[in-house]
């Protein structure tokens, strides 16, 4: 396996002079060199063939002993120096100080087709940043990250990617629900891929320590490699960088709202400086449409990271990034302007996104009412978001009477639809129908447009859990089946219709399906 290694982060930025793998606070350095733990019996479970193509790897490479050894952490690729990044962060609204890659080890960067990619193993053993953790990951959470990050890519949501999923052959002790019932689970390693894994927290670390020298070096590095179009480093360019990160962050979150993805743990150490979805932990997919839903049991009290709050949290996190970048600019106003703009853009972009979900091409002043009325209807009784929007595309103008019947399949409890609820829905379909009369599109054209933004298949929480249960028994067929299904989330795929279904009742309160914790 021949890779075009092109390391920059660990060759151009300050390293921790201490090369022991001991847990510690690291100062005036962006990362620490550390070797992955050698797994006892690594086995390749799945490879993303889309990702291998992007990296320039062929079938022979994937089947090679080299691939198994390098992406399980058994062997270090020649002339590379793996490292863990130093970063800090705000967790659940509180300053958490130094965090860093506690269970992720960056292997190297490669360049292929003029694109730069950093490859990183998640779950490859302890690092100086592991704090109380063991640096390992279990099969359960690795299957979830592997399947979801590739699924998000195919949904056109900005995201980090995954190359491979392996079991390590080692056992890992986890208290899955933090209730004192620890048990051994199978260890696993995912190779994640992104142009860079720099997070808001990398900047916060240096700002908090008033290490402005490294803060500037990190920011200049980020500009040079990932935002060259913004220009040479200057106060003005730093503001432009912030503006672009804000724009991308908002865009990413609007995509999450569109597909019903709830990240679950939007701490600033989990916010990519490239506006990519990163760190797939206790995430979940909306089944019943509900602004208040979060899959993360660790966040059950305050529901800080609930579906409806994600755009606000994006703004809150950007404020932390603004504070971190402020010493480079020494003026608050330009940052405030960007943060204000985020709020205005949020209003207009989410409206535009909802219009697209409804198949509306032109902008009408009353659309906001049509949308809030729809949201009210969706909340009347538990209504599956994915199924509802997909079925809505079948609507034919002038058939308002048939509207409700058409989407009935999205109701979790169709027998409980009272006359009052049905009436409210009928009123909504009437206004939807009137609104459609203003559009130029035919029913068929509108359907085609809607089906490009309303996925038919998403990684429902119970689907991932079924794949995990099988994988725990050593059967990886369902991982492959779901992986392939989710490559074409907007296609009809009639042969896969069984996955276009509401969450089964058994999954309503099952651990892993509706309840997840940060334990992974
Ligand atoms: P997360 O909530 O997954 O984003 O993790 C927050 C922080 O805890 C990061 O610094 C992780 O590297 C660290 N962490 C999480 N799990 C482990 C683990 N098993 N071992 C070491 N560090 C961990
Ligand atoms: Mg994290």
């Amino acid at each position: 396996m021949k890779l075009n290694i092109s390391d920059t982060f660990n060759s151009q930025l300050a390293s921790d002079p201490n090369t022991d793998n001991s847990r510690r606070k690291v100062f005036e350095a962006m990362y620490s060199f550390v070797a992955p733990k050698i797994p006892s019996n690594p086995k390749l479970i799945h490879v993303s063939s889309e990702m291998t193509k992007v990296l320039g790897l062929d079938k022979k490479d994937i089947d090679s002993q080299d691939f198994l050894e390098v992406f399980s952490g058994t062997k270090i690729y020649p002339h590379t120096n793996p490292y863990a990044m130093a970063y800090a962060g705000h967790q659940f609204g509180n300053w958490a100080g130094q965090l860093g890659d506690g269970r992720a080890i960056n292997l190297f960067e490669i360049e292929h087709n003029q694109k730069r990619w950093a490859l990183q193993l998640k779950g490859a053993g302890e690092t100086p940043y592991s704090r109380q953790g063991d640096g390992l990951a279990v099969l359960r959470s690795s299957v979830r990250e592997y399947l979801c990050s590739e699924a998000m890519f195919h949904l056109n949501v900005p995201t980090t990617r995954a190359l491979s999923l392996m079991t390590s052959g080692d056992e890992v002790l986890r208290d899955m629900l933090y209730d004192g019932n620890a048990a051994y689970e199978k260890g696993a390693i995912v190779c994640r891929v992104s142009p860079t894994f720099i997070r808001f927290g990398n900047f916060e670390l240096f700002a908090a320590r008033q290490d402005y020298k490294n803060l500037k070096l990190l920011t200049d590095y980020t500009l040079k490699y990932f935002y060259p179009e913004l220009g040479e480093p200057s106060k003005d360019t730093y503001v432009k960088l912030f503006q672009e990160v804000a724009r991308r962050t908002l865009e990413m979150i609007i995509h999450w709202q569109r597909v019903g993805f709830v990240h679950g743990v939007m701490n600033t150490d989990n916010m990519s400086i490239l506006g990519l979805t990163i760190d797939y932990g206790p995430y979940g997919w909306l089944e019943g449409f509900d602004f208040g839903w979060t899959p993360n049991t660790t966040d059950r009290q305050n529901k800080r990271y609930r579906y409806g709050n994600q755009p606000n949290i994006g703004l809150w996190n950007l404020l932390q990034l603004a504070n971190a970048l402020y010493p480079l600019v020494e003026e608050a106003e330009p940052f405030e302007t960007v943060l204000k703009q985020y709020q205005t853009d949020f209003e207009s972009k989410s409206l535009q996104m909802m219009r697209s979900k409804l198949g509306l091409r032109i902008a009408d002043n009353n659309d906001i009412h049509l949308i809030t009325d729809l949201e009210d209807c969706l909340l009347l009784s538990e209504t599956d978001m994915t199924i509802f929007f997909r079925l809505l595309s079948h609507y034919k103008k002038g058939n308002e009477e048939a509207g409700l019947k058409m989407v009935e399949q999205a109701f979790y409890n169709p027998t409980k639809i009272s006359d009052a609820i049905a009436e409210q829905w009928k009123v909504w379909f009437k206004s939807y129908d009137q609104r459609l009369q203003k559009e130029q599109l035919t029913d068929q054209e509108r359907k085609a447009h809607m089906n490009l933004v309303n996925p038919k298949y998403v990684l429902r929480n119970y689907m991932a859990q079924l794949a995990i249960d099988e994988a725990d028994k050593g059967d990886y067929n369902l991982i492959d089946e779901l992986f392939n299904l989710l490559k074409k989330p907007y296609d009809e795929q009639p042969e896969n219709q069984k996955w276009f279904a509401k969450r089964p009742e058994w999954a309503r309160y099952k651990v892993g399906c509706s309840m997840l914790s940060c334990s992974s």
Side-chain angles (χ1 to χ4, degrees), residues 410-457:
F411 297 140
Y412 276 86
N413 240 320
T415 51
K416 285 215 180 122
I417 302 298
S418 63
D419 290 348
I421 293 179
E423 193 45 44
Q424 201 168 326
W425 269 113
K426 282 180 190 155
V427 170
W428 186 80
F429 270 105
K430 199 175 163 96
S431 40
Y432 183 49
D433 193 86
Q434 281 168 358
R435 175 63 182 79
L436 290 181
Q437 305 297 339
K438 297 187 181 166
E439 295 282 329
Q440 307 294 323
L441 298 183
T442 65
D443 289 331
Q444 207 46 39
E445 286 165 342
R446 186 179 68 255
K447 181 178 181 186
H449 283 292
M450 288 172 78
N451 286 352
L452 293 175
V453 292
N454 296 318
K456 179 163 180 184
Y457 303 103

Side-chain angles (χ1 to χ4, degrees), residues 87 199 269-270 279:
Y87 55 81
R199 303 135 191 272
D269 52 303
N270 290 338
D279 276 16

